Amino acid sequence: MTVKTDVFCSASVTLPDKAGRQINIGGWSGESTFGIRLYWPDGSPGVPGVNDWQENKNLLTLQRGRWYPSAMVMTNGSIMVIGGQTGSNGPPQPNLEVLPRPPGAGVVYLDWLERTDPNNLYPFVAVVPSGIFVAYYNEARILDERTFATIKTLPKIPGAVNNPGAGRTYPLEGTAMLLPQYAPFTEPLGILICGGSNTGAAIALDNCVSTQPEAANPQWTLERMPSQRVLTLMTALPDGTYSEFTLKLVGHPAILIRAVILGGAQQGVAGFGLATKPNLNAVLYDPSKPVNRRMSVMANTTIARMYHSEAILMQDGRVLVSGSDPQDGRNPQDPDYNPQEYRVEVFVPPYLLQGRPRPTFTLANKSWAYGASITMSVTLPSGGTPRVSMMGAESSTHGNTM
């Protein structure tokens, strides 16, 4: 596939349409930082697609050049693009803009991004019922989805007990995800942030924090991880049991979601040659268990996944893990040397190791209206209590799921 400008350290989202189109935003330097690239898959099982990335700077560009920005699909289908730098280690872009550009709209200045530069790149963003949640460096807030004014400021995100300056976003790179929601969806939405690093000595953090931003008095809950982790990777997992049944989804499915935490390093920050001591262990995080009993140590890998590694959930329930671009300047004979990594591997979660046959299902209606009743027939040969998880399509870079 071909791109016309440099996509290095850009942002991407999957659009909420039937085609599953993907849009990529920003890039490394020069005109690439203004780039907007669109791709829609046209293949099918066993049939390769022929479409390529589309980009035309004369028709569509960002208003501000951005390197290390974040992007998010808003409730109306628009795309919010926030933060980053002007490119190639340039000055910050402490602002946001919306795609497609509303008539007469410019960029929205964000003083809190300028104040926390340079530790707020690739900020964590998510839609919440009252607006837009943003976490950056060691702060978080909720924005009005129309004006982008702050409507709620959360307490500072705890980091290291001996360093209040520890942070969670690039280059102190941790990772974040939404916690699962359960019908009837009366509980406030939860946010989980894991890993990160300290300013100064760059000792990786050994904890996750979580909160419910829309609670009346939100507080951060801190949970210790089994080990320190920066350049953290985290992927939501669907997890259920098996039976034979016919399921009728009336507005709200049952959901059980866990997360797997992978990769990264135990010392350093994001950037070429800036992290050491790879973390080879996988950790399962189960939010259905009591606080401080949610993490279980899983299998180890033999492949260091350092800077520019990624992990995403595949359709068969496994987790694809790829990359590692540390640009390690040490001698390759040094036992602590971390090479460029071109191998990919898969993490097989516990639910695929139980020896049970996979379920099959038929779903006649694939065009769902909001609040509609959807009927699907599912065959679960092994029996058990059924659960259904609905997962959103994601794009992941630098540990940031967009």
Side-chain angles (χ1 to χ4, degrees), residues 80-358:
M80 182 188 75
V81 186
I82 182 171
Q85 295 179 335
T86 58
S88 189
N89 295 313
Q93 283 288 17
N95 51 66
L96 64 79
E97 59 186 283
V98 174
L99 300 173
R101 186 188 306 178
V107 299
V108 178
Y109 171 67
L110 305 170
D111 64 287
W112 37 271
L113 279 185
E114 185 162 52
R115 173 173 49 78
T116 55
D117 175 67
N119 293 319
N120 57 30
L121 303 179
Y122 281 131
F124 303 134
V125 290
V127 172
V128 294
S130 63
I132 299 170
F133 171 84
V134 187
Y136 54 96
Y137 184 31
N138 59 3
E139 300 179 12
R141 63 186 61 220
I142 297 176
L143 309 180
D144 181 276
E145 66 178 356
R146 292 179 177 84
T147 66
F148 304 107
T150 297
I151 58 177
K152 188 173 188 176
T153 302
L154 276 68
K156 277 203 171 182
I157 303 171
V161 295
N162 61 346
N163 184 1
R168 305 286 179 169
T169 49
Y170 189 101
L172 309 172
E173 186 179 307
T175 188
M177 63 175 289
L178 298 176
L179 288 171
Q181 294 179 281
Y182 303 91
F185 306 113
T186 54
E187 286 292 315
L189 182 64
I191 303 287
L192 175 69
I193 304 175
C194 290
S197 194
N198 284 271
T199 55
I203 299 171
L205 298 180
D206 65 350
N207 60 69
C208 296
V209 292
S210 59
T211 192
Q212 294 177 325
E214 295 177 296
N217 183 30
Q219 299 295 323
W220 293 96
T221 298
L222 187 145
E223 300 175 87
R224 293 287 295 275
M225 292 192 292
S227 54
Q228 297 163 309
R229 202 177 297 256
V230 65
L231 313 178
T232 317
L233 308 177
M234 183 161 57
T235 300
L237 301 174
D239 196 358
T241 53
Y242 302 83
S243 68
E244 182 171 327
F245 72 115
T246 297
L247 171 69
K248 189 170 185 181
L249 298 178
V250 185
H252 306 307
I255 302 176
L256 174 63
I257 299 178
R258 297 172 181 169
V260 63
I261 305 168
L262 301 157
Q266 299 180 66
Q267 172 80 39
V269 296
F272 292 133
L274 300 181
T276 60
K277 301 178 182 177
N279 195 322
L280 304 176
N281 186 234
V283 173
L284 186 70
Y285 184 91
D286 186 348
S288 68
K289 293 183 177 180
V291 171
N292 294 320
R293 295 175 59 188
R294 294 176 172 177
M295 299 193 204
S296 301
V297 175
M298 298 282 106
N300 280 359
T301 181
T302 59
I303 301 175
R305 300 292 180 182
M306 307 288 278
Y307 189 45
H308 288 157
S309 300
E310 301 301 333
I312 59 170
L313 180 69
M314 298 194 295
Q315 289 183 324
D316 65 1
R318 296 178 298 168
V319 177
L320 178 68
V321 186
S322 64
S324 191
D325 181 30
Q327 300 285 328
D328 197 324
R330 284 177 289 226
N331 188 313
Q333 305 305 316
D334 188 321
D336 293 326
Y337 173 75
N338 296 303
Q340 299 293 109
E341 191 54 67
Y342 301 100
R343 293 171 290 177
V344 299
E345 57 187 328
V346 292
F347 174 79
V348 182
Y351 53 76
L352 293 178
L353 299 174
Q354 299 175 12
R356 295 176 176 175
R358 288 182 176 272

Side-chain angles (χ1 to χ4, degrees), residues 367-391:
S367 296
W368 296 7
Y370 186 78
S373 297
I374 307 297
T375 299
M376 60 190 300
S377 296
V378 184
T379 300
L380 301 169
S382 297
T385 303
R387 290 185 173 93
V388 174
S389 297
M390 300 185 70
M391 313 293 292

Side-chain angles (χ1 to χ4, degrees), residues 6 8-9 27-30 32-33 65-68 84-91:
D6 196 334
F8 183 63
C9 297
W28 159 242
S29 63
S32 68
T33 64
R66 299 181 189 274
W67 186 46
Y68 294 118
Q85 295 179 335
T86 58
S88 189
N89 295 313

